[in-house]
C-alpha cells in the first residue's frame, strides 16, 4: 500500500472557496470579531462595542467577560458610565423590538 493518499479533486466551487481562503477574501464573520474584542478588550472597548453593536450576542459575550474581570477593570467600566450605556442600549433594543411587532 502506498504512503500517499489520494486527494479528491475539487470542483469549481471547491477551488474558488480554497482560493478565497488562501487570499484572505473570506474573513471572519463581523460578529465573531466583535465577540473577540469584547473578550480581549478593556472597559473602553467594551463600552464602544455595546454602543455600536447592541446585539444579543454582544450582551452574552459581555456577561461572560464580566465574570472574569478583576475589580479594577470593573471599576473603570463603571467610572466611564458603562452601566448607563448598557441600560440605554437595552432600552433602544426593547423599543426596536416593540416597533417590529
Amino acid at each position: 500500500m502506498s504512503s500517499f493518499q489520494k486527494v479528491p479533486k475539487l470542483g469549481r466551487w471547491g477551488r474558488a472557496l480554497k482560493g478565497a481562503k488562501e487570499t484572505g477574501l473570506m474573513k471572519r464573520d463581523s460578529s465573531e470579531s466583535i465577540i473577540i474584542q469584547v473578550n480581549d478588550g478593556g472597559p473602553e472597548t467594551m463600552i464602544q462595542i455595546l454602543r455600536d453593536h447592541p446585539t444579543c450576542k454582544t450582551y452574552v459575550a459581555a456577561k461572560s467577560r464580566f465574570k472574569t474581570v478583576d475589580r479594577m477593570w470593573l471599576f473603570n467600566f463603571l467610572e466611564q458610565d458603562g452601566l448607563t450605556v448598557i441600560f440605554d442600549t437595552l432600552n433602544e433594543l426593547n423599543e426596536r423590538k416593540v416597533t417590529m411587532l
Side-chain angles (χ1 to χ4, degrees):
M1 187 180 235
S2 172
S3 63
F4 295 104
Q5 291 181 339
K6 188 173 182 178
V7 178
K9 286 187 176 182
L10 295 176
R12 181 173 34 179
W13 292 110
R15 287 190 306 272
L17 181 62
K18 183 179 176 190
K21 285 180 181 177
E22 289 172 354
T23 59
L25 292 175
M26 282 190 61
K27 301 241 186 251
R28 232 180 220 160
D29 182 1
S30 64
S31 65
E32 277 184 49
S33 63
I34 290 169
I35 306 265
I36 291 169
Q37 290 175 18
V38 166
N39 291 331
D40 296 339
E44 306 85 18
T45 305
M46 169 93 69
I47 291 169
Q48 192 62 41
I49 289 171
L50 289 171
R51 274 191 189 126
D52 296 343
H53 306 283
T55 64
C56 290
K57 282 185 177 183
T58 306
Y59 282 99
V60 169
K63 180 182 175 185
S64 41
R65 176 73 168 145
F66 288 138
K67 291 178 182 179
T68 62
V69 296
D70 60 7
R71 286 180 175 221
M72 196 63 193
W73 190 100
L74 192 55
F75 180 77
N76 288 331
F77 179 81
L78 295 172
E79 199 171 55
Q80 296 173 28
D81 289 332
L83 194 58
T84 304
V85 170
I86 288 175
F87 286 136
D88 289 345
T89 55
L90 284 173
N91 190 38
E92 288 175 28
L93 283 173
N94 185 42
E95 288 174 0
R96 276 191 238 160
K97 185 177 177 182
V98 170
T99 59
M100 289 173 59
L101 296 176

